[in-house]
Amino acid sequence: MVGMSGAYGGHSNGGESRAPKAAVVVGAPPPEMEMEMAGAMGVVHKVAAQPAQSTASKMKGKVKETFFPDDPFRSFKGQPLRAQWVMAARYLFPVLEWLPGYSLSLFKSDLVAGLTIASLAIPQGISYAKLANLPPIIGLYSSFVPPLVYAVLGSSRDLAVGPVSIASLIMGSMLRQAVSPSAEPMLFLQLAFTSTFFAGLVQASLGILRLGFIIDFLSKATLVGFMAGAAIIVSLQQLKALLGIVHFTTQMGIVPVMASVFQHTNESIRWPRFFWISACAPLASVIVSTLLVFLFKAQNHGISIIGSLKCGLNRPSWDKLLFDPTYLGLTMKTGLVTGIISLTEGVAVGRTFASLKDYQVDGNKEMMAIGLMNIVGSCTSCYVTTGAFSRSAVNHNAGCKTAMSNVVMALTVMVTLLFLMPLFVYTPNVVLGAIIIAAVIGLIDLPAAYNIWKMDKMDFLVCLCAFAGVIFISVQEGLAIAVGISIFRVLMQITRPRMMIQGNIKGTDIYRNLHQYKEAQRVPGFLILTVEAPINFANTNYLNERTKRWIEDESSSGNKQTELRVVILDLSAVPAIDTSGIAFLIDLKKSTEKHGLELVLVNPTGEVMEKIQRANDAHDHFRPDCLYLTTGEAIASLSGFAKMATP
């Protein structure tokens, strides 16, 4: 470049003079821009490389940031050994954090909250077990042992644990594809326990291995659409109980469900006289409807009832876990899907209520707690459980203070299992169906869907695909479609990164996107490009084609005053680069030189600068006069030397 032997006083890094290069005439900037440049020419800052680190240190840092971004053991530093053991015990068993300081006033609040959520958990447990095609007693078992485990291992004060509708629906529908719950009830029960075991294993593994970021692929848009579609499917499935249809479809799509309703109109469809009672609180509905059925002998007039339930606590079920190769694939697949869905719901609910009370919930500890809870549950006659939103909302509003509310709920369920089971003999199934509908309707979040539509149309498409997939195909296929679209969108953002042309904001040394800032002006003779993404093998071809197209467009303008002479690539927003990215920069440098242009790089970040230096060790591709700290300094320096060299 004429009149410029370097950006640092005309010398190379070693301080030796270099012969000037062939002249490069850059068009003169506007007068007000020249003033800014003239002031900046006096000082040109050097682009510094990050401090040297060994490969082991770099790997250690990357592993720490990937798997331990919260640095959970930072409080251990500088503590005596005894204190570290105490802190480790509290970390593994969060109950030790609040139990030593537990007081009577806290217990009063937790007692009220525990009894309140028990009144909801008992009817919901029975209902959700039927939704999963399991015996009703399994739902109550699942509201007894898992809450006790979570109270010891969980870090949320508000999460109320038990069966949930979506996981129940998915487990029932997936297992029913291979085994009929009515023809082979014991085999179906074994598969349910085994699926729960694998669900817990997946959940605990994600927490122990610090892989919680995997569940982040279930975006908010995916969950909103999925939950809404599942809520409608769950509600439609309850038409069997509400209408008294005996021969009902086992498929989950809206078309076969509605076809089943209209094809069996010849069956005895009886609307119970006291259907309005289901609008009341779930437990009140169960009590009143059970009493009415008993008094009026409604079971003799076409009203389906639960039937006899045995008293007693959970029976061990580890001997019922079935690892037969015939069904192993099915149970692992069911466990994976239900585990991820229930884990996502539980962690999201826990964080939601934690933010309301301004305390932190450790996502990885929650995964371990929920996973171990389900592993223990699978060995004690329980199926998949997690933190339910409806139950947790009741727990929060009832004034819970600690996880002791889960213990109170579990003890209440225990009393029910020991002494009150005969009272549920006459509970009508229609009320259980109404309870499920009342619980899942709240999962249809129209305001959230509207906000997604306003915020991001692509996100809304993901939401819509999840909803339509669940409604018209099946729950698991709908979820897979939505996740696939979300991953495809992420891949598109990686392979087609945002790249833009920048201009100078008049009267300043600030350079911004020309399309975003209308007051930004092009700098004659300069093409200022910026990339806002990592540069890697997945996007180098796109960046190369995009850059060359812009250069061709600028070069073909034909205006001598604004003829392109310098291409500036701003790397401020490029956090990382790989070998393909370095190869792209080298090829771009050679290509611009062939066309008589100069390529300079602005503000490469630490990792990018380090790899540029390594590339320079073999071949001096990027000399110091090609590297600038800011776009303003680059333009000021290049324009000044160009003007000095112009006759």
Side-chain angles (χ1 to χ4, degrees):
M1 188 173 293
V2 165
M4 175 178 148
S5 58
Y8 312 110
H11 296 284
S12 65
N13 274 350
E16 299 177 357
S17 300
R18 286 203 311 247
K21 296 161 57 179
V24 176
V25 180
V26 180
E32 62 275 3
M33 201 179 295
E34 283 192 32
M35 294 177 62
E36 295 291 335
M37 293 174 178
M41 278 188 64
V43 180
V44 177
H45 299 88
K46 184 178 180 180
V47 179
Q50 65 181 4
Q53 286 183 302
S54 66
T55 303
S57 298
K58 292 177 185 176
M59 289 299 297
K60 180 181 177 182
K62 289 182 178 180
V63 169
K64 180 180 178 181
E65 289 303 314
T66 301
F67 299 105
F68 301 93
D70 55 341
D71 194 8
F73 304 113
R74 62 186 181 278
S75 58
F76 284 53
K77 297 176 182 178
Q79 298 292 334
L81 183 60
R82 180 184 177 86
Q84 289 182 351
W85 278 105
V86 172
M87 294 170 69
R90 288 179 176 176
Y91 180 81
L92 295 174
F93 304 99
V95 65
L96 299 177
E97 293 182 3
W98 54 266
L99 189 59
Y102 200 68
S103 63
L104 182 61
S105 60
L106 293 176
F107 178 71
K108 290 179 181 178
S109 299
D110 288 335
L111 178 64
V112 173
L115 293 175
T116 304
I117 57 176
S119 67
L120 182 65
I122 292 171
Q124 280 190 352
I126 297 173
S127 304
Y128 292 159
K130 291 184 69 66
L131 184 61
N133 301 298
L134 296 171
I137 194 71
I138 300 298
L140 291 180
Y141 289 162
S142 303
S143 299
F144 171 47
V145 173
L148 294 176
V149 177
Y150 183 82
V152 175
L153 301 175
S155 59
S156 173
R157 307 171 196 166
D158 299 89
L159 203 67
V161 171
V164 292
S165 57
I166 303 302
S168 301
L169 171 69
I170 294 174
M171 176 171 284
S173 62
M174 292 184 71
L175 295 181
R176 193 169 54 190
Q177 293 175 359
V179 177
S180 170
S182 56
E184 299 177 282
M186 182 51 67
L187 177 59
F188 191 89
L189 188 61
Q190 288 180 290
L191 296 181
F193 291 154
T194 310
S195 298
T196 301
F197 174 81
F198 282 120
L201 197 61
V202 169
Q203 294 166 337
S205 299
L206 291 177
I208 294 171
L209 300 177
R210 314 287 292 186
L211 298 176
F213 58 84
I214 291 177
I215 68 173
D216 293 336
F217 281 104
L218 292 175
S219 64
K220 180 176 176 59
T222 301
L223 289 175
V224 169
F226 172 75
M227 292 293 188
I232 291 176
I233 290 299
V234 169
S235 301
L236 291 175
Q237 283 288 322
Q238 302 317 302
L239 292 175
K240 175 182 179 180
L242 294 176
L243 301 178
I245 299 176
V246 178
H247 300 92
F248 202 73
T249 181
T250 59
Q251 300 182 46
M252 302 305 297
I254 189 172
V255 175
V257 169
M258 296 309 297
S260 182
V261 170
F262 291 108
Q263 288 173 3
H264 296 92
T265 54
N266 58 327
E267 294 185 9
S268 176
I269 300 179
R270 299 178 182 271
W271 291 90
R273 185 179 305 175
F274 302 98
F275 177 70
W276 59 270
I277 297 177
S278 62
C280 303
L283 186 59
S285 299
V286 169
I287 293 173
V288 175
S289 60
T290 301
L291 184 61
L292 291 173
V293 169
F294 175 74
L295 292 176
F296 293 100
K297 305 298 181 185
Q299 72 274 18
N300 298 327
H301 301 281
I303 300 297
S304 174
I305 60 175
I306 291 180
S308 61
L309 298 173
K310 295 181 179 179
C311 289
L313 300 180
N314 302 38
R315 294 169 178 79
S317 58
W318 54 73
D319 58 327
K320 292 184 175 62
L321 298 180
L322 186 64
F323 300 104
D324 190 310
T326 306
Y327 302 104
L328 189 60
L330 173 65
T331 53
M332 291 180 68
K333 178 182 176 182
T334 304
L336 176 64
V337 175
T338 55
I340 294 294
I341 291 296
S342 59
L343 185 62
T344 304
E345 181 177 358
V347 173
V349 170
R351 286 175 175 169
T352 298
F353 289 106
S355 65
L356 296 177
K357 288 188 176 180
D358 195 25
Y359 68 91
Q360 294 293 324
V361 167
D362 189 325
N364 286 288
K365 282 203 288 188
E366 286 296 285
M367 294 176 197
M368 288 188 286
I370 294 174
L372 292 173
M373 176 180 74
N374 279 314
I375 291 174
V376 173
S378 68
C379 299
T380 53
S381 300
C382 304
Y383 77 107
V384 173
T385 55
T386 188
F389 182 82
S390 59
R391 216 170 300 145
S392 299
V394 171
N395 194 31
H396 173 81
N397 294 330
C400 70
K401 301 298 182 184
T402 68
M404 182 62 74
S405 59
N406 274 292
V407 177
V408 174
M409 177 189 71
L411 294 177
T412 306
V413 173
M414 180 188 73
V415 172
T416 303
L417 287 169
L418 288 174
F419 306 109
L420 304 181
M421 295 313 296
L423 300 180
F424 292 96
V425 172
Y426 295 100
T427 301
N429 287 319
V430 64
V431 171
L432 300 180
I435 289 172
I436 292 175
I437 293 175
V440 301
I441 287 299
L443 298 176
I444 303 176
D445 195 345
L446 293 178
Y450 178 68
N451 287 335
I452 292 172
W453 163 260
K454 289 179 61 179
M455 196 76 63
D456 192 325
K457 300 299 187 291
M458 188 64 186
D459 259 359
F460 184 77
L461 176 62
V462 173
C463 176
L464 197 62
C465 287
F467 177 80
V470 172
I471 288 291
F472 294 104
I473 306 176
S474 71
V475 175
Q476 52 269 33
E477 276 79 5
L479 181 62
I481 290 172
V483 172
I485 294 175
S486 297
I487 294 176
F488 176 75
R489 186 185 182 189
V490 172
L491 292 175
M492 286 297 295
Q493 291 172 345
I494 294 173
T495 58
R496 296 294 183 268
R498 183 175 173 83
M499 193 177 189
M500 65 195 73
I501 301 178
Q502 289 188 336
N504 176 259
I505 295 181
K506 186 177 179 180
T508 71
D509 196 28
I510 300 173
Y511 295 82
R512 292 293 182 267
N513 183 7
L514 287 173
H515 294 288
Q516 183 177 357
Y517 294 88
K518 300 303 180 185
E519 63 271 29
Q521 299 177 350
R522 297 289 296 270
V523 181
F526 291 85
L527 175 61
I528 309 170
L529 303 176
T530 182
V531 182
E532 295 183 348
I535 300 178
N536 52 49
F537 67 94
N539 56 33
T540 51
N541 286 335
Y542 169 78
L543 293 175
N544 189 40
E545 293 171 0
R546 195 82 174 89
T547 305
K548 288 182 177 179
R549 192 179 76 192
W550 268 324
I551 292 174
E552 290 174 1
D553 291 344
E554 292 292 316
S555 301
S556 62
S557 62
N559 189 341
K560 288 293 184 180
Q561 295 296 323
T562 60
E563 185 178 358
L564 180 63
R565 294 302 180 189
V566 180
V567 177
I568 297 177
L569 189 59
D570 187 350
L571 301 177
S572 302
V574 179
I577 193 169
D578 65 0
T579 52
S580 297
I582 292 294
F584 156 69
L585 295 179
I586 294 172
D587 291 343
L588 184 61
K589 176 73 173 174
K590 293 178 179 178
S591 175
T592 53
E593 288 177 347
K594 286 181 180 179
H595 290 83
L597 305 176
E598 182 77 7
L599 174 69
V600 298
L601 307 180
V602 168
N603 194 28
T605 56
E607 180 180 333
V608 178
M609 185 62 189
E610 180 183 5
K611 292 183 179 179
I612 288 175
Q613 285 182 323
R614 290 180 181 175
N616 283 340
D617 290 341
H619 303 281
D620 194 18
H621 296 291
F622 299 98
R623 303 179 309 276
D625 59 356
C626 296
L627 302 170
Y628 291 87
L629 190 60
T630 68
T631 303
E633 288 184 1
I635 292 178
S637 179
L638 296 173
S639 299
F641 281 111
K643 289 179 67 177
M644 289 167 57
T646 304

